[in-house]
Amino acid sequence: MLDPRIPFKNRYLAGVLAFLFPGAGHVYQGRYFKGILCGVCVLVTFFYGMALGNWSVVYWKKDPTNFLNPYYAQVFVGLPALPSLVQARRYESRTNINEMSISAPINAPFHGTLRMHDRTVGLADGVVTGRIELKPGARPAEGRVVQGTFTGHLDKKEITIKLGGIPTLGKAVSADPDREIEVDVVDSSDPPQAIGRLRGDFPRSFLDRFESPPDERYYLDLHGKLGKFHELAMTFTMIAGLLNILVILDAVEGPAYGYGDGAEEERKAAAPGSADKAAKAVPPAQPPPAEAAKT
């Protein structure tokens, strides 16, 4: 039975608010301290698990063989976990495939490898780090052809190379923080001729990786990199969702304990006319046995 001393207002609306954002239902009811405390506990647990798992442990991926999908618990955190449903749809989209063109310029950090076909230009194969700049071809007739440069280091040696041709890019939406790219190294002739191949990764947009499903390769790499901490990160995010179920129930039904012993009697005593009823219920005082004998 709900305690009238707590302003529950519309308790079902409070439950919806508590699901959407931990603690919001209690704040709506005016239970500010408990709402803030619940929100902090749930969200800190959830985002700590996310950070521990390299922001790659909360996602929805349909798997008919897995009846214990962690997302079934994670989703109860509410809004912080709901982007997974949108990202899963984007990930499974037919348009989320390897691309052979770019629609907007790329200017980003890069790390990868250089493989040269023509060794007469003074460049050797090796590991490169630096910055890649690419933009679509200047003329409409060039179609998927790109042009740009890479500036950085080849085995600690500063280099600047010209890029062009038709690039190959990995999927746009994935949990992997890096996106793959391959592009030709070209000379200065007209038209430019490919003399090598640059292959590596540049940072993926946060909006394209946040709560997105991982590719199989990245999933295995992440397991190898994090080890037992991967399962620990997953557990933290699941605990956060299960904790918020208790928060939702508290917003709808009130606390399971905390009214105190005799709360029902206190409410009856406070009811109108209860004093008269109590007086009638008390029997008159009886004289002591000795006085009764004298009488």
Side-chain angles (χ1 to χ4, degrees), residues 113-133:
T113 57
L114 176 66
R115 295 288 180 266
M116 299 301 297
H117 311 321
D118 185 351
R119 303 189 181 274
T120 63
V121 296
L123 292 174
D125 297 348
V127 176
V128 295
T129 57
R131 193 164 196 87
I132 187 171
E133 297 182 36

Side-chain angles (χ1 to χ4, degrees), residues 8-286:
F8 283 92
K9 298 184 180 180
N10 186 328
R11 56 182 180 147
Y12 299 110
L13 175 58
V16 172
L17 293 174
F19 166 72
L20 291 177
F21 196 85
H26 291 76
V27 172
Y28 159 74
Q29 293 171 331
R31 303 158 70 189
Y32 299 110
F33 177 78
K34 195 167 190 178
I36 294 172
L37 180 64
C38 291
V40 169
C41 290
V42 172
L43 294 177
V44 167
T45 303
F46 180 76
F47 285 110
Y48 176 75
M50 289 275 283
L52 187 64
N54 200 28
W55 301 94
S56 303
V57 294
V58 176
Y59 58 88
W60 165 250
K61 196 170 187 178
K62 189 175 181 180
D63 185 359
T65 64
N66 185 8
F67 298 102
L68 298 177
N69 192 318
Y71 191 69
Y72 294 151
Q74 296 166 342
V75 71
F76 284 100
V77 175
L79 284 177
L82 293 182
S84 298
L85 302 176
V86 178
Q87 296 291 59
R89 191 175 184 88
R90 295 180 65 207
Y91 179 82
E92 298 293 343
S93 171
R94 294 182 178 180
T95 61
N96 189 41
I97 58 176
N98 293 344
E99 300 175 0
M100 299 186 69
S101 64
I102 61 175
S103 57
I106 296 174
N107 187 343
F110 177 90
H111 62 89
T113 57
L114 176 66
R115 295 288 180 266
M116 299 301 297
H117 311 321
D118 185 351
R119 303 189 181 274
T120 63
V121 296
L123 292 174
D125 297 348
V127 176
V128 295
T129 57
R131 193 164 196 87
I132 187 171
E133 297 182 36
L134 288 176
K135 59 183 180 180
R139 297 188 296 267
E142 291 178 344
R144 295 177 295 178
V145 175
V146 298
Q147 55 188 14
T149 58
F150 168 81
T151 304
H153 294 84
L154 170 62
D155 297 331
K156 299 182 180 181
K157 176 184 176 183
E158 291 189 7
I159 62 169
T160 299
I161 53 179
K162 188 177 180 182
L163 306 175
I166 298 177
T168 301
L169 287 85
K171 294 178 179 179
V173 180
S174 176
D176 192 335
D178 294 321
R179 188 179 182 187
E180 295 181 342
I181 186 172
E182 287 188 49
V183 63
D184 287 335
V185 178
V186 298
D187 58 20
S188 300
S189 61
D190 190 16
Q193 301 297 314
I195 58 175
R197 190 75 171 171
L198 186 69
R199 178 179 182 179
D201 305 296
F202 67 96
R204 191 187 307 274
S205 164
F206 182 76
L207 294 179
D208 285 335
R209 67 160 300 214
F210 180 68
E211 295 190 9
S212 298
D215 294 321
E216 186 67 23
R217 179 189 62 81
Y218 177 64
Y219 180 78
L220 295 176
D221 289 346
L222 189 65
H223 257 287
K225 177 182 177 182
L226 297 179
K228 62 183 180 181
F229 289 102
H230 181 271
E231 301 303 324
L232 184 61
M234 191 81 73
T235 301
F236 270 110
T237 57
M238 293 172 65
I239 289 174
L242 297 176
L243 281 176
N244 204 42
I245 293 178
L246 299 179
V247 175
I248 295 168
L249 290 175
D250 188 272
V252 174
E253 295 293 341
Y257 304 99
Y259 296 148
D261 295 335
E264 184 66 27
E265 288 74 9
E266 291 177 10
R267 286 195 289 274
K268 289 180 178 179
S274 58
D276 296 337
K277 293 178 182 178
K280 293 178 181 178
V282 176
Q286 299 295 326

